[in-house]
Amino acid sequence: MNIQLRSAFVFSMLFAVLLTRPVWAQSTINWIVPNGSWTEGSNWDSGFVPDTFLDEIANISNAGTAEVDSDVFEQPGQIILGQLAGETGTLNIANGGQLAVAYTANNISSASVDIGQAGTGHLIVEPGGSLAARTLNLAGEQGSSLTLGGATGGAATVTIAWGATLGRQVRIIGPNVNFSTQTLTIQAQNTLTAQITAATHSPLKSTNLASIDGTLRVEFTNGMAPTVGNSWNLIDAPAISGQFASIDLSAAPGLPFGQVYQFGSVSDPASVHGVFGRLSVDQLLVLTVNRGSGAMSIATGPVPVHIDVYSISSALGGLNPSGWSSLQDQGVSDWRESPQGGSIHRLSELKPTSSTTVNAAAPLELGNVFQLPSASEFGTELEDIIFEYCTPEGQVTQGLVNYIGDKQYNNLVLLVDPDTGAARFENQSNLSVSIDGYKISSSSGSLLPDNGNWLSLDDQNVAGGDWRESNPTTHILAELKPTGETLLNGGAMFNLGIPFLTTASGGSEDLTFEYLFPGETAMRDGVVVYRSLAASLMADFNEDRRVDHADLAVWKTSFGSNTGGDADGDGDTDGEDFLVWQQEFGTDL
């Protein structure tokens, strides 16, 4: 029976039973071929194309693909792609294809498109194709996807009368997508990929609130080279709530110094509904912080930035006001320090008249302002500098903070020389802690357990003795202390010989370092840092790449013990280590 004859039959039957039967029994019509045309009745297990007048659901879950490349006369009551766990199904609406999912009064079918119900579904709408439905749901297994648009001419049109809920993978290609819905929800498990092919893009339009979460992934194709000032509208709604939890830039071109990709909500009269969710390329000011010297400076990249206020803050007290060389101190054009003055928590200045231009050739030097705050809790992050500034237009912007130099961690750190394989672990915190176990792991088997390579604490009979190796292998080096514990003062360190197979010898930099506190059953995560140890200063006990009075204080605290202040690596702290400190005093790396 051809489409016209079946349609005539359907209408006649509906008329015949109208007074005696309010609805047809709902049924699911299954796609049964690998690939084929939606409009070919023999591709469905009923022998007919699913029809809303018969309350029929179109189910494509046999790993097949249904193609729509013409106007589909018989409209399904619902579409399911990937119904059960482990099942997959694909619907491709090509150029010239028009498919509507319709609701008929008293139907059980919901006029929805379910891309991945419990399985994996894929919906593709190419340029020139169109889809209409009451609701659209993208869910199911992780691989479920919605792809709209393409490289050819024409618009890929999707019209959702009620609401679209998007989890899993969404890809919007170029400026030729016309997607509209009454409400839009982008869920936490969603990745929205904006494949940008031109100077403009296609926003997802919602006539009501758009709620966003998940990941925004940015890709540039068709020769697009983003530059500062470029922007692309990704969402169009009266209001936008939430924010993308992360932006994946792994496929986006790198940008010059101080330039970033940012996503934000912008009121714009060009928006159909009032607010754009916009991706932009912006030039920001950068506060560079030298960990070693404490020096700070404000700089920019290729594009100058004009400011009349700046503020540097640290909730933990990471600022040194005595080292601050403010713009007022330097006599820079009417800048004024905040009336509250500087403190370890905040330094700020304003310029009541005009503004100052920051350009790449002339950064603003602010003196030796940074200091690592003392830790109150072991393992917490201590670098918390926040930098904000204001432009003459009144826009407050959070700038970038760029730390340079070796970081000092409030944690136990495994230092590994990638060239020689030498290693040691240190307590870089100012807090003293005790341990009774540690473990170094390598998933690739890049450890050297043989005698003469790894020098365990057991081998060296240090750290209070009674340390015991635990079946060393190329994957794990571990020791436990069955009795007592070992105290690690701030700056304490222990050499571990040459336990690492260098990359030149086929090793991988994949080490993890864990340690055990007495009384705890779960190991804590330490930090692994790869850097040359040959260039280290032996008397740099606090690991700030210089030898000064702070290192002498570590030596004094550790004198007579076997923790910290051990410059010659013989396992104790004594007068020989003081001689090394004298020889290296005043030296910086």
Side-chain angles (χ1 to χ4, degrees):
M1 182 183 296
N2 62 30
I3 293 174
Q4 288 77 15
L5 287 176
R6 184 175 185 242
S7 298
F9 170 76
V10 169
F11 280 113
S12 65
M13 290 295 292
L14 282 171
F15 181 77
V17 302
L18 185 60
L19 298 178
T20 60
R21 186 177 178 183
V23 295
W24 289 85
Q26 182 271 327
S27 60
T28 297
I29 309 301
N30 299 299
W31 184 257
I32 58 174
V33 297
N35 300 287
S37 172
W38 177 287
T39 57
E40 180 60 52
S42 61
N43 292 336
W44 302 93
D45 63 359
S46 67
F48 300 99
V49 177
D51 196 320
T52 184
F53 288 118
L54 298 176
D55 199 3
E56 291 176 338
I57 296 174
N59 177 32
I60 306 171
S61 300
N62 67 333
T65 300
E67 299 277 350
V68 177
D69 57 8
S70 61
D71 188 354
V72 177
F73 179 75
E74 292 171 301
Q75 301 171 338
Q78 186 175 342
I79 297 175
I80 298 174
L81 307 175
Q83 185 177 39
L84 302 178
E87 295 181 340
T88 62
T90 301
L91 171 60
N92 185 69
I93 303 177
N95 182 27
Q98 299 180 54
L99 179 62
V101 185
Y103 177 73
T104 299
N106 299 315
N107 270 9
I108 297 174
S109 55
S110 60
S112 67
V113 178
D114 298 317
I115 311 168
Q117 204 167 61
T120 301
H122 304 286
L123 172 61
I124 304 162
V125 182
E126 299 178 1
S130 69
L131 172 69
R134 254 188 175 186
T135 60
L136 184 146
N137 305 296
L138 174 59
E141 295 168 328
Q142 180 61 40
S144 295
S145 66
L146 170 64
T147 302
L148 306 178
T152 59
T157 302
V158 176
T159 305
I160 307 301
W162 286 4
T165 302
L166 305 179
R168 306 313 179 192
Q169 312 297 314
V170 177
R171 178 177 291 271
I172 308 299
I173 304 172
N176 55 349
V177 174
N178 183 14
F179 180 97
S180 61
T181 182
Q182 190 175 82
T183 61
L184 175 65
T185 302
I186 299 177
Q187 297 179 316
Q189 63 269 32
N190 174 266
T191 296
L192 172 62
T193 298
Q195 184 175 330
I196 297 171
T197 64
T200 60
H201 197 62
S202 299
L204 302 175
K205 297 187 290 294
S206 177
T207 55
N208 292 299
L209 176 72
S211 301
I212 63 173
D213 202 339
T215 299
L216 171 63
R217 178 177 168 84
V218 182
E219 298 179 5
F220 292 90
T221 59
N222 198 34
M224 278 298 298
T227 60
V228 67
N230 291 162
S231 64
W232 301 268
N233 299 319
L234 308 186
I235 295 172
D236 186 338
I240 298 174
S241 69
Q243 181 59 275
F244 290 109
S246 62
I247 300 180
D248 179 358
L249 300 174
S250 59
L255 298 173
F257 181 78
Q259 293 183 13
V260 296
Y261 298 97
Q262 296 193 114
F263 177 86
S265 299
V266 180
S267 297
D268 193 320
S271 165
V272 174
H273 299 298
V275 176
F276 280 130
R278 178 174 291 168
L279 174 73
S280 60
V281 179
D282 300 318
Q283 177 73 63
L284 300 181
L285 289 181
V286 180
L287 178 71
T288 298
V289 180
N290 188 311
R291 294 185 175 105
S293 67
M296 286 189 182
S297 61
I298 300 172
T300 186
V303 179
V305 178
H306 308 280
I307 64 170
D308 54 18
V309 176
Y310 76 85
S311 176
I312 304 168
S313 61
S314 167
L316 295 176
L319 300 175
N320 176 19
S322 65
W324 183 27
S325 177
S326 67
L327 300 183
Q328 176 182 327
D329 291 338
Q330 300 176 53
V332 178
S333 182
D334 199 30
W335 278 87
R336 312 282 178 85
E337 294 181 12
S338 166
Q340 289 75 33
S343 73
I344 62 173
H345 297 292
R346 183 176 297 275
L347 304 172
S348 57
E349 288 187 272
L350 61 86
K351 190 175 191 298
T353 59
S354 67
S355 62
T356 291
T357 301
V358 184
N359 57 59
L364 303 178
E365 303 291 344
L366 300 176
N368 298 333
V369 182
F370 176 70
Q371 62 182 9
L372 192 69
S374 296
S376 59
E377 181 180 351
F378 188 81
T380 57
E381 175 60 61
L382 298 182
E383 295 182 345
D384 69 336
I385 299 295
I386 295 175
F387 169 51
E388 294 178 306
Y389 59 91
C390 191
T391 63
E393 296 77 26
Q395 180 180 352
V396 178
T397 302
Q398 185 163 315
L400 304 177
V401 178
N402 177 40
Y403 292 92
I404 61 174
D406 292 330
K407 181 173 181 177
Q408 184 173 339
Y409 294 87
N410 179 33
N411 206 336
L412 298 189
V413 179
L414 177 69
L415 291 169
V416 182
D417 191 321
D419 298 320
T420 67
R424 68 171 183 256
F425 74 80
E426 307 177 348
N427 178 12
Q428 292 192 359
S429 174
N430 64 283
L431 299 176
S432 297
V433 294
S434 294
I435 65 170
D436 56 11
Y438 74 89
K439 180 173 71 172
I440 303 169
S441 305
S442 168
S443 59
S444 66
S446 297
L447 295 171
L448 300 173
D450 297 335
N451 188 29
N453 291 308
W454 177 39
L455 293 180
S456 67
L457 302 185
D458 186 9
D459 290 334
Q460 301 176 65
N461 193 31
V462 297
D466 198 31
W467 279 88
R468 310 287 177 82
E469 296 179 9
S470 178
N471 295 325
T473 70
T474 58
H475 293 280
I476 294 178
L477 302 178
E479 287 188 274
L480 293 172
K481 196 174 193 303
T483 60
E485 58 197 50
T486 292
L487 176 66
L488 301 177
N489 292 319
M493 65 180 70
F494 293 106
N495 293 321
L496 297 176
I498 307 175
F500 175 63
L501 181 64
T502 64
T503 53
S505 300
S508 299
E509 294 184 2
D510 64 349
L511 302 187
T512 60
F513 175 50
E514 300 168 281
Y515 55 89
L516 188 65
F517 278 176
E520 296 186 354
T521 57
M523 284 194 155
R524 300 191 178 205
D525 293 330
V527 178
V528 179
V529 174
Y530 298 92
R531 78 165 192 233
S532 174
L533 300 184
S536 298
L537 295 167
M538 295 303 295
D540 180 17
F541 303 132
N542 63 357
E543 202 63 27
D544 64 355
R545 299 179 65 81
R546 55 186 172 178
V547 176
D548 54 18
H549 290 289
D551 302 296
L552 179 61
V554 174
W555 177 84
K556 288 180 178 179
T557 301
S558 305
F559 184 79
S561 71
N562 55 6
T563 58
D566 180 14
D568 57 11
D570 64 354
D572 58 20
T573 301
D574 55 19
E576 299 297 325
D577 305 301
F578 176 73
L579 292 177
V580 176
W581 176 84
Q582 282 186 314
Q583 293 166 358
E584 294 184 346
F585 178 73
T587 305
D588 290 340
L589 287 180

